[in-house]
Amino acid sequence: MPRVVSLFLPSWSTDRLRRKLGDVSPSLDRPLVLVGRHGNRRLVTATDRAAMEAGLRVGMPATKAQALVQGLAVMDAEPDADAEALERLALWALRRYAPIVAMDHPDGLVMDTTGADHLHGGEQLMLADMVERLSQVGFSARAAVADSWGAAHAVARYVKQAVSVVAVNAAYDAIVPLPIAALRLPDAIVGGLRVLGFDRVGELLKQSRAPLTLRFGPELGRRLDQAAGRLAEPIEPVRPADVVEVKRAFGEPIGAAETIARYIGKLVQALCVELETMGLGARRLDLLLYRVDNRIEAVRVGTALPVRDVKRLTRLLCDKIEKIDPGFGIELMRLSAPLAEPLTPRQTISSLIEQRDADISNLIDVLGNRVGEEKLYRFTPVASDVPERSFRRVAPASAETGQAWPDHWPRPARLLAVPELIEAIALLPDHPPASFTWRGIRRRVKRADGPERVFGEWWKRDAELAAVRDYFQVEDDAGERFWIYRAGDGEDAATGSHRWFLHGVFG
């Protein structure tokens, strides 16, 4: 079952213009509308959220909009620049999220993410990542995923939440409560349906098709079937001009897994030749298989480091063959490297005494393409004395940062995500607890070492100007070792609450 994502940018034109103006002048702090000419009339073509909340709508005369909102910012629309920027956004999404991405003019993208969402931790996390990344650069966005382009398009635009995941085989139920404008119909048909008393998609789905088709033509039935997932709607993917790509067309359609695997090997070999000529290694490969029924099957794999090893890349792609549905046959295979990075030749081992560096990138690639790249990570040190700030997650094959953890005091093997409150009996200010209770179990302290005083980072927050923690390593009667701390110095209430917390476990 295909899974299609619709990314909706409700204020695409105005957000883009604000971002552009922010580079050369202060950002506008007034409601903003864009206007364009339709014949001799100047009409509103786009509004930002503030203008929309003030009652302004697309299609309204510009003079009326200015009369309704005091101090309204009015600028000329730039449809060509908007389209070019949307194409650049599509290319960004192609490299990052899915092998099939197209523009959904004028304010969105559509992606076939079948088989690619696991690389980002699943559909929910993938959509949240899209919305968050766009928000960070000044674009408001909503995203939805469903079994069809029509359903995803409708939900993204008419369900008022940032991320919507429509369950498999639930596209029909998802569109029933939506307004008829969600069907991507021409305004004339929408207006005609409203005159007849239709307001929701569910009302249309209950009607006989013949009278509606006779009055409005076949477009209405086609859009209903596409939204419900009964009629396929091909997505023509955008292609970067500089992408490294090879393809193979077949006189007779192919469908056997062994045949597909054989031609994958040939395509990978040809692609690696092109990459070597350009001094590049693949970080991401997209395999598109064009079926005779006008559908596209897609496979995406990623690598931790730049690679152009034929056997390694072939194996990664062939591991995904079981997810390919050839239908009635495949007539064209296209293999591309949308993400490639420089890869320079390295000197091989030339002496019996030299040791080969351990390389686990092959294992990382296999695991990453099975369970998802987002689920594989390692920790790297960060320059901070505060324990929970002294590390961060990075990709498994990331280069070393040169930082190191403090070695003057031992650190626990397991650090709790959030320090847990404990009840402790201790002699203030410098003595370790004689006993403490954690998760309902009372433990008597047999041995202890400390305190190790950690000061707050006053340059980050004013509240940490006086804050301190006193850490102790303690061992109970059973030989279990814990890392606990007291918030505060044991004397001055301004330094902390003087409550005790367990932060880590040794061994």
Side-chain angles (χ1 to χ4, degrees), residues 52-261:
M52 189 177 298
E53 291 174 352
L56 306 186
R57 296 291 180 266
V58 173
M60 177 184 291
T63 52
K64 182 178 179 180
Q66 289 176 296
L68 289 174
V69 178
Q70 187 76 19
L72 179 68
V74 179
M75 295 189 174
D76 291 332
E78 301 177 341
D80 293 338
D82 288 341
E84 291 177 6
L86 192 63
E87 183 177 6
R88 292 195 297 270
L89 184 66
L91 294 176
W92 168 78
L94 173 72
R95 292 185 174 95
R96 180 164 188 85
Y97 293 109
I100 300 178
V101 180
M103 293 170 285
D104 194 0
H105 290 290
D107 52 12
L109 302 178
V110 59
M111 316 174 204
D112 187 335
T113 59
T114 309
D117 59 281
H118 73 283
L119 297 176
H120 305 279
E123 292 177 339
Q124 184 77 30
L125 292 178
M126 179 179 66
L127 298 188
D129 184 67
M130 292 180 191
V131 172
E132 176 63 23
R133 287 180 182 275
L134 288 170
S135 175
Q136 290 176 357
V137 294
F139 292 104
S140 58
R142 296 203 298 267
V145 60
D147 294 340
S148 68
W149 181 350
H153 182 279
V155 171
R157 285 157 177 77
Y158 291 92
V159 173
K160 302 301 182 182
Q161 60 186 45
V163 171
S164 301
V165 177
V166 179
V168 176
N169 296 323
Y172 184 96
D173 295 332
I175 64 172
V176 164
L178 301 181
I180 56 177
L183 292 174
R184 298 178 293 164
L185 293 167
D187 293 339
I189 295 180
V190 173
L193 289 169
R194 285 176 175 160
V195 169
L196 295 178
F198 294 107
D199 185 54
R200 301 288 167 181
V201 175
E203 298 169 0
L204 289 175
L205 292 170
K206 296 177 182 178
Q207 300 299 313
S208 174
R209 289 288 180 87
L212 293 174
T213 302
L214 185 63
R215 179 156 186 169
F216 297 104
E219 178 76 359
L220 176 57
R222 185 170 67 89
R223 289 303 193 189
L224 282 171
D225 288 339
Q226 287 174 342
R230 293 191 291 252
L231 182 64
E233 187 174 4
I235 301 173
E236 187 61 35
V238 64
R239 310 304 302 170
D242 58 347
V243 69
V244 184
E245 182 179 79
V246 293
K247 60 184 179 180
R248 181 70 175 261
F250 306 103
E252 293 291 335
I254 65 172
E258 297 81 2
T259 307
I260 295 173

Side-chain angles (χ1 to χ4, degrees), residues 184-326:
R184 298 178 293 164
L185 293 167
D187 293 339
I189 295 180
V190 173
L193 289 169
R194 285 176 175 160
V195 169
L196 295 178
F198 294 107
D199 185 54
R200 301 288 167 181
V201 175
E203 298 169 0
L204 289 175
L205 292 170
K206 296 177 182 178
Q207 300 299 313
S208 174
R209 289 288 180 87
L212 293 174
T213 302
L214 185 63
R215 179 156 186 169
F216 297 104
E219 178 76 359
L220 176 57
R222 185 170 67 89
R223 289 303 193 189
L224 282 171
D225 288 339
Q226 287 174 342
R230 293 191 291 252
L231 182 64
E233 187 174 4
I235 301 173
E236 187 61 35
V238 64
R239 310 304 302 170
D242 58 347
V243 69
V244 184
E245 182 179 79
V246 293
K247 60 184 179 180
R248 181 70 175 261
F250 306 103
E252 293 291 335
I254 65 172
E258 297 81 2
T259 307
I260 295 173
R262 183 168 68 254
Y263 283 106
I264 285 176
K266 293 181 178 180
L267 288 174
V268 170
Q269 187 172 13
L271 184 72
C272 287
V273 171
E274 295 290 331
L275 291 171
E276 186 173 8
T277 302
M278 304 173 69
L280 300 174
R283 284 292 313 279
R284 187 154 292 150
L285 289 182
D286 287 343
L287 176 65
L288 302 184
L289 304 101
Y290 293 77
R291 302 187 344 182
V292 295
D293 60 357
N294 206 28
R295 278 191 54 185
I296 303 176
E297 293 287 311
V299 171
R300 164 164 285 191
V301 298
T303 61
L305 299 171
V307 176
R308 57 170 180 257
D309 182 278
V310 175
K311 290 184 178 179
R312 182 167 164 181
L313 295 176
T314 300
R315 177 189 174 189
L316 293 176
L317 289 168
C318 288
D319 283 347
K320 303 289 185 180
I321 286 181
E322 61 182 16
K323 297 183 178 180
I324 297 173
D325 179 10

